[in-house]
Amino acid sequence: MEILQDSAITPDDKLIPSAQCQEAFCRFILARTGIIIQAHQFDNLRSAVSSACKRFGYASAFEYLTKLEQGANPPRELEFLISAITVRESYFFRDQYQIDFIRDIWLPGVMPKKPSGEKRLRIWSAGCSGGEEVYTIAILLMEALLDVQTWDINLLGTDINSVVLSDAASGIYKDWAFRTTPKHIQDKYFVKKDGAFLLHQNVRKMAQFKYLNLNEETFSHNLDTTHPFDMILCRNVFIYLDHRTVQGILKNFVSLLSPDGILILGASDLVETNIPGLELCRHQNMFYYQHRQEVFAPAKEIRPSVRPPIEDKHPPKRVQEKAPLPKKTASATPDPKPQKKTTVREEVIVMDRNGLWHEIPVFVDAYTADHGEDAFLTGMKAKALAGLGNVAAAVDLCNHSIELDKTCKYCYYIKATILIEMGKLEDAQHALRRAIYLDHHFFEAHFHLGQLLVRFHNYKAGLKSLRNALELVEKADQERLLFIEQELTCGQLVEILKSEIGVYDARDGKG
Ligand SMILES: C[S@@+](CC[C@H](N)C(=O)[O-])C[C@H]1O[C@@H](n2cnc3c(N)ncnc32)[C@H](O)[C@@H]1O
């Protein structure tokens, strides 16, 4: 720590960490939580440190850091920092494929496997954010089990961010949290209150929330659960953590799963195939991990206490009538081939990154009315439609964008990402190959192609694509965000690729 003696002049300057001090904060956060602070989060980190100093009375960022490192501060001082730097994005009924799987396949299948008379379910959402995920499961159970009140159900949500945990306990949500929720479900389980939506108490009381740092090696002891979990959800958490931390967490998960238990990660989390004690399984277009070697088989018959699935899978989305054009924001993903419409493209990329899918179609339509159709923007509109759950229209629109410009690699790439979501993996491969044909340096496309190939156990070809991606991405600006990949930088992709290549190298030759 000797290097960190800030020589700043004014007292306020001292509250903002210098470059070295900032690096030390990043190291501290990584060591304590496993979270990698990315370059685009640095501003946020600096302002969080400065606010923390003011709030807790530290004279400098360095002093605050020293106290944190010594563990001499009350936990709230650490919690303040963690709350500021964690990404809490979550919403109800996130990822339709996983929801369909849980409701239609897993739930009907798990009950017949229980010892006779046992009506107990243990489900854990690790990295639960504001509770949207846990309550989605609670609602699925309410809908599926006619005799839900006779079941011993333990729904646990844990997170490292204490602010989100108190939000979860309150059960109050803004409209945006329902962007993929069937309307009749929102109406049935929530009441409008002061411009927000309050979850019914009978659902709220099904879940418990707890503070838990997944990076603590001994976290399993802090769960004080006497029964193993039937299902662990850890969705969209690993993407923020370093590889070593993820390996440790997975090991703990294995020890906490029941013999038939499953683990579900987020669709954009890294898929690894060689996790001891877990078998990677696929159901249509989603992946999950099955404890031990037993492959989870869809139940042939549905028990009488199970209601039919919720019907309205893709309800009409409540698209805003009119969305304001977003403020111009610098995108961290520069279009590698600057063209006339770079600025507009960047704006749409930023909107996509912020999940403003309702606004993108309005924005693109307004642009088109003035300037005519643009292949790239049409592709991005298609991506937004897919984000809103309208995948069929999204694919049609992608095809149209390709008709507009058959040389637009991004259109093929966007189409591929949508096809992957839909589980049309062969077609996705084809689209990725087209994108690569148009630009051999398109490392995002090499990366996805490699991932698809190894998922199909074609390790030789998959490794080749992953190595191509690595070679190319190593030459790129390491702080650049990847094209339409939430929050992932080139530097992180390098780490992911190295780790994936290491995993699949062992299988080379068997593909
Ligand atoms: C993007 S949210 C995902 C929420 C939810 N699982 C979903 O998919 O909608 C990621 C959550 O992981 C939590 N998280 C990050 N690192 C963590 C750690 N080391 N231990 C526990 N939770 C962590 C964050 O606080 C945040 O609430």
Side-chain angles (χ1 to χ4, degrees):
M1 298 314 310
E2 66 296 340
I3 48 169
L4 297 175
Q5 298 300 350
D6 279 355
S7 57
I9 299 152
T10 70
D12 254 18
D13 282 350
K14 286 193 169 185
L15 306 186
I16 299 171
S18 64
Q20 283 175 320
C21 187
Q22 177 182 293
E23 256 178 51
F25 265 102
C26 291
R27 279 198 302 274
F28 169 77
I29 291 166
L30 177 64
R32 199 53 86 84
T33 68
I35 296 172
I36 300 171
I37 302 289
Q38 299 166 26
H40 68 278
Q41 294 177 297
F42 286 164
D43 284 348
N44 186 26
L45 173 66
R46 279 194 292 270
S47 85
V49 169
S50 158
S51 314
C53 289
K54 284 181 190 148
R55 184 170 175 148
F56 301 114
Y58 290 110
S60 71
F62 173 64
E63 191 185 315
Y64 176 42
L65 175 64
T66 310
K67 285 278 160 46
L68 288 173
E69 286 181 328
Q70 289 168 348
N73 53 299
R76 68 195 175 99
E77 300 184 17
L78 176 61
E79 283 178 13
F80 183 88
L81 185 64
I82 302 286
S83 303
I85 52 101
T86 44
V87 178
R88 60 167 296 171
E89 167 71 358
S90 188
Y91 46 94
F92 290 95
F93 287 79
R94 184 176 193 172
D95 196 326
Q96 191 66 49
Y97 298 114
Q98 294 187 346
I99 298 296
D100 288 349
F101 169 79
I102 293 169
R103 182 193 55 223
D104 302 341
I105 305 297
W106 180 77
L107 198 50
V110 76
M111 289 183 287
K113 290 186 178 177
K114 294 270 169 197
S116 76
E118 188 188 284
K119 290 171 97 182
R120 180 188 295 136
L121 272 181
R122 295 275 178 271
I123 298 171
W124 174 27
S125 158
C128 65
S129 191
E132 294 89 339
E133 187 170 85
V134 180
Y135 290 138
T136 299
I137 301 294
I139 291 171
L140 289 180
L141 292 175
M142 296 280 276
E143 290 286 307
L145 300 172
L146 292 172
D147 52 354
V148 69
Q149 65 290 346
T150 65
W151 279 73
D152 171 9
I153 293 173
N154 182 329
L155 289 181
L156 176 66
T158 63
D159 205 284
I160 196 174
N161 179 340
S162 46
V163 174
V164 296
L165 289 172
S166 60
D167 289 349
S170 78
I172 298 171
Y173 298 91
K174 293 267 162 56
D175 200 25
W176 190 232
F178 301 97
R179 54 194 184 268
T180 56
T181 304
K183 177 88 171 69
H184 69 278
I185 290 287
Q186 186 180 353
D187 291 345
K188 184 170 170 186
Y189 290 97
F190 295 82
V191 279
K192 211 160 183 185
K193 194 177 171 222
D194 304 330
F197 296 86
L198 172 66
L199 180 62
H200 287 182
Q201 203 201 351
N202 57 345
V203 185
R204 282 207 317 270
K205 69 182 189 208
M206 287 172 75
Q208 278 186 319
F209 296 95
K210 264 184 121 168
Y211 176 90
L212 188 88
N213 178 0
L214 291 168
N215 194 39
E216 303 278 353
E217 265 182 34
T218 54
F219 76 66
S220 46
H221 303 303
N222 302 334
L223 282 172
D224 36 82
T225 168
T226 41
H227 297 282
F229 291 101
D230 298 295
M231 174 163 66
I232 300 176
L233 297 141
C234 188
R235 303 191 304 164
N236 310 299
V237 179
F238 286 173
I239 196 163
Y240 304 107
L241 306 181
D242 80 319
H243 189 247
R244 192 192 53 80
T245 305
V246 169
Q247 298 305 309
I249 296 172
L250 285 169
K251 225 162 130 192
N252 270 320
F253 282 168
V254 173
S255 70
L256 289 163
L257 276 172
S258 69
D260 285 319
I262 64 163
L263 166 68
I264 299 185
L265 303 181
S268 52
D269 288 314
L270 179 61
V271 177
E272 289 199 18
T273 53
N274 69 340
I275 306 168
L278 291 176
E279 184 184 355
L280 181 63
C281 301
R282 179 168 172 226
H283 171 73
Q284 293 176 353
N285 34 22
M286 70 152 279
F287 291 87
Y288 62 97
Y289 292 95
Q290 174 72 58
H291 196 196
R292 291 199 181 146
Q293 302 308 309
E294 188 191 332
V295 179
F296 192 86
K300 295 226 165 39
E301 56 179 74
I302 293 177
R303 281 175 42 133
S305 69
V306 177
R307 286 184 196 144
I310 298 165
E311 275 168 6
D312 194 5
K313 284 188 190 170
H314 298 296
K317 298 292 180 242
R318 286 155 285 161
V319 179
Q320 280 171 260
E321 289 284 291
K322 210 168 134 211
L325 296 187
K327 284 200 202 107
K328 287 195 175 155
T329 323
S331 162
T333 306
D335 188 332
K337 202 168 79 184
Q339 295 176 8
K340 263 189 273 162
K341 289 166 186 155
T342 299
T343 308
V344 181
R345 291 178 175 194
E346 283 186 349
E347 285 185 29
V348 177
I349 289 172
V350 172
M351 289 166 83
D352 173 67
R353 191 158 284 142
N354 291 323
L356 302 176
W357 297 315
H358 286 104
E359 295 178 18
I360 290 174
V362 183
F363 180 91
V364 172
D365 289 349
Y367 179 87
T368 306
D370 289 343
H371 300 88
E373 285 186 306
D374 174 273
F376 177 88
L377 294 178
T378 307
M380 289 302 286
K381 178 177 165 183
K383 181 171 184 297
L385 292 183
L388 292 166
N390 197 350
V391 280
V395 173
D396 284 348
L397 201 58
C398 271
N399 290 334
H400 179 60
S401 73
I402 290 168
E403 275 167 24
L404 289 172
D405 181 359
K406 289 195 173 57
T407 67
C408 179
K409 63 180 179 181
Y410 296 112
C411 296
Y412 289 101
Y413 182 76
I414 292 168
K415 183 176 171 186
T417 60
I418 297 170
L419 291 168
I420 291 171
E421 289 271 311
M422 295 170 78
K424 296 192 169 178
L425 304 183
E426 306 265 321
D427 293 346
Q429 284 185 38
H430 180 70
L432 288 169
R433 287 185 203 284
R434 292 293 307 173
I436 293 168
Y437 172 77
L438 290 166
D439 178 3
H440 289 281
H441 296 92
F442 196 175
F443 50 79
E444 287 99 332
H446 284 289
F447 169 54
H448 276 297
L449 182 61
Q451 282 206 317
L452 283 182
L453 290 168
V454 291
R455 277 184 196 186
F456 286 107
H457 305 287
N458 189 350
Y459 296 110
K460 262 202 166 82
L463 266 170
K464 190 163 175 266
S465 292
L466 293 176
R467 288 202 179 101
N468 284 339
L470 180 60
E471 198 182 319
L472 293 164
V473 73
E474 274 181 330
K475 292 180 195 146
D477 171 0
Q478 297 301 287
E479 290 183 1
R480 203 198 101 190
L481 288 171
L482 300 188
F483 177 61
I484 65 167
E485 298 286 342
Q486 298 281 337
E487 310 267 355
L488 207 61
T489 62
C490 290
Q492 282 181 302
L493 182 58
V494 167
E495 291 311 309
I496 289 173
L497 282 164
K498 282 181 179 164
S499 129
E500 290 219 337
I501 288 168
V503 168
Y504 298 120
D505 243 343
R507 294 164 186 255
D508 196 6
K510 294 181 197 159

